[in-house]
C-alpha cells in the first residue's frame, strides 16, 4: 500500500516559497513505488506531476492532482576506463551535492554547473546550463518510468533531443515520465572551461586552475548575482534568453546598440533577456510582494507571502513591456503549474 498523503502544503517544496495545496502527494524512495503507482493506483488520480526540489516550478493556485516527489538516492561508478568514469546517480539526489562529490572524487566536467539548485533527475529536463557548460556535455543516458503504463524506458543522449534549456522531456513527455537515475560520463583529467568570459578574470594567468578552485569561483559568481532561495524566494532565470535570426539581431543591434548577445554555431544569435529587461529600467522593480531582482533582471523574486498568480502577473507585465519595446516575445523558463 503506497503512503499517499492528502491536502499537503507545497510551500516548503518550491524555491519560490509560494503556497499551494496538493490534493495528493507521494514521496518516492525507489523505482518499485513508481511502477506500483502507475500500474495499480493511477486511475484514482486526476493529473500527476513529478517534483524534485521545486526549483524550476511556479505553482499558481492549488493542485488538484498527485505530486510524486523524487527522493531516489544513490551514486555509483558503473564503468571505468583510463580517461573516463561513468557514474549512475539517483534522480532524487541533490544536483549540487553530486557536483561537489564529483570534484572531491576527481570526476570532471560538471564544475561550471556548481550551485544550481534542484535534483539530478530534473537536470536533464531543462538541460541545465551555466558558465559555458550544459548538462548534455557529460550526459550518457537515463532511466525513466512511463507514468501512463509503468513501463521502464532508457534514453540515450540522442533520444533526449537536448537543446538550450530544452529536451524531449519538456515537450513530448511533459508530465509523463519519472526519471529514476541518470548516468554521466566524466573525465579523470580536469580541463578548465573558460568559455564564459568573466570566469578567466577570476584567475591569474600564471597559475594552473584546479577543479576545486573552479567550483569555488562559480559558487562565488553565483552568490553575487543570484539570490539564495532560502533567503529570497526565486527560481533562477525566469525567462529563456531569446534566440534571434542574424537579420533580426542586426536590426535590434542598430536600434539598441550594445545589446548583450552570444553568436550561436547555427548562425543564430542568443540575446541576453536580462539586459533587455534591465534596459527598460526594471531591475529592482517591485510591486507588492513580488519583484525583479536588483542584481539580475532575469530573476523574479518573492519578498514574502506572494502568490503564484502575483508572480505570473509580474511575468506577463515584463513580457508585454519587452514586446512593446523590442518586438521580442520572452518565453517563460520554469514550469507553470496551474489548475
Ligand atoms: N545583464 C544585464 N542586466 C541584468 C542581467 C544581465 O545587463 O540584469 C547582462 C550581463 O551584463 C551580461 C548578459 O546580460 O552581459 C548575460 O548575463 P549573465 O551572464 O548573468 O547570464 P544570463 O544570460 O542572464 C544565463 C543563464 C543562467 C546562468 C548564466 C551564466 C539562462 C536563461 N540563464 O543567464 O542560468 O547562470 O547564464 O551562464 O540561460 C538559470 O537558468 O536559472 C540560470 C541562472
Amino acid at each position: 500500500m503506497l503512503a499517499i498523503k492528502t491536502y499537503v502544503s507545497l510551500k516548503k517544496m518550491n524555491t519560490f516559497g509560494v503556497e499551494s495545496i496538493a490534493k495528493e502527494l507521494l514521496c518516492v524512495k525507489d523505482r518499485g513505488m513508481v511502477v506500483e503507482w502507475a500500474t495499480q493506483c493511477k486511475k484514482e488520480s486526476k493529473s500527476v506531476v513529478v517534483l524534485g526540489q521545486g526549483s524550476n516550478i511556479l505553482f499558481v493556485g492549488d493542485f488538484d492532482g498527485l505530486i510524486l516527489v523524487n527522493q531516489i538516492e544513490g551514486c555509483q561508478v558503473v564503468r571505468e576506463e583510463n580517461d573516463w568514469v561513468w557514474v549512475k546517480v539517483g534522480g532524487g539526489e541533490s544536483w549540487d551535492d553530486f557536483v561537489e562529490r564529483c570534484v572531491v572524487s576527481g570526476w570532471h566536467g560538471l564544475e561550471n554547473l556548481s550551485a544550481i539548485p534542484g535534483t539530478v533527475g530534473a537536470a536533464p529536463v531543462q538541460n541545465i546550463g551555466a558558465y559555458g557548460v550544459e548538462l548534455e556535455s557529460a550526459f550518457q543516458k537515463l532511466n525513466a518510468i512511463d507514468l501512463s503504463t509503468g513501463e521502464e524506458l532508457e534514453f540515450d543522449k540522442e533520444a533526449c533531443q537536448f537543446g538550450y534549456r530544452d529536451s524531449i522531456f519538456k515537450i513530448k513527455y511533459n508530465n509523463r515520465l519519472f526519471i529514476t537515475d541518470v548516468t554521466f560520463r566524466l573525465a579523470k583529467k580536469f580541463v578548465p572551461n573558460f568559455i564564459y568570459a568573466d570566469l578567466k578574470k577570476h584567475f591569474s594567468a600564471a597559475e594552473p586552475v584546479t577543479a576545486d578552485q573552479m567550483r569555488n569561483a562559480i559558487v562565488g559568481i553565483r552568490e553575487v548575482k543570484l539570490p539564495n532561495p532560502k533567503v529570497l524566494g526565486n527560481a533562477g532565470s525566469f525567462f529563456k534568453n531569446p534566440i534571434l535570426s542574424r537579420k533580426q539581431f542586426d536590426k535590434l543591434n542598430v536600434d539598441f546598440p550594445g545589446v548583450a548577445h552570444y553568436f550561436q554555431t547555427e548562425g543564430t544569435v542568443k540575446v541576453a533577456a536580462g539586459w533587455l529587461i534591465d534596459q527598460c529600467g526594471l531591475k529592482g522593480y517591485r510591486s507588492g510582494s513580488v519583484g525583479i531582482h536588483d542584481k539580475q533582471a532575469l530573476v523574479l523574486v518573492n519578498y514574502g507571502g506572494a502568490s503564484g498568480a502575483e508572480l505570473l502577473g509580474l511575468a506577463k507585465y515584463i513580457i508585454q513591456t519587452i514586446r512593446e519595446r523590442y518586438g521580442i516575445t520572452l518565453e517563460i523558463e520554469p514550469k507553470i503549474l496551474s489548475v
Side-chain angles (χ1 to χ4, degrees), residues 17-31:
V18 297
E19 184 56 287
S20 173
I21 305 292
K23 189 173 174 199
E24 295 180 319
L25 183 139
L26 175 66
C27 293
V28 174
K29 306 283 185 194
D30 58 52
R31 289 162 48 246

Side-chain angles (χ1 to χ4, degrees), residues 55-56 112 116-117 126 128-134 164-165 196 198 221-222 225-226 234-241 258-262 270-279 283 292-299 333:
S55 58
N56 201 43
N112 294 32
I116 297 181
Q126 54 152 329
I128 57 169
Y131 308 103
V133 175
E134 285 183 323
Y164 164 59
R165 291 292 190 280
Y196 188 81
D198 283 358
I221 293 172
R222 291 186 72 97
K225 284 193 182 177
L226 299 166
N234 76 91
S237 300
F238 200 84
F239 302 101
K240 286 188 186 184
N241 285 329
V259 53
H261 63 278
Y262 321 88
K270 193 193 274 181
V271 172
W275 188 93
L276 301 177
I277 299 168
D278 194 352
Q279 293 295 309
K283 188 147 84 174
I292 299 171
H293 188 47
D294 59 359
K295 296 192 183 65
Q296 213 327 345
L298 211 43
V299 178
E333 205 282 305

Side-chain angles (χ1 to χ4, degrees), residues 23 25 52 69 97 106 149 154 177 231 251 261 268 274 302 311:
K23 189 173 174 199
L25 183 139
V69 186
D97 288 354
T149 61
E154 183 179 294
L177 290 184
V231 180
K251 181 170 184 320
H261 63 278
T268 52
N302 171 8
L311 282 155

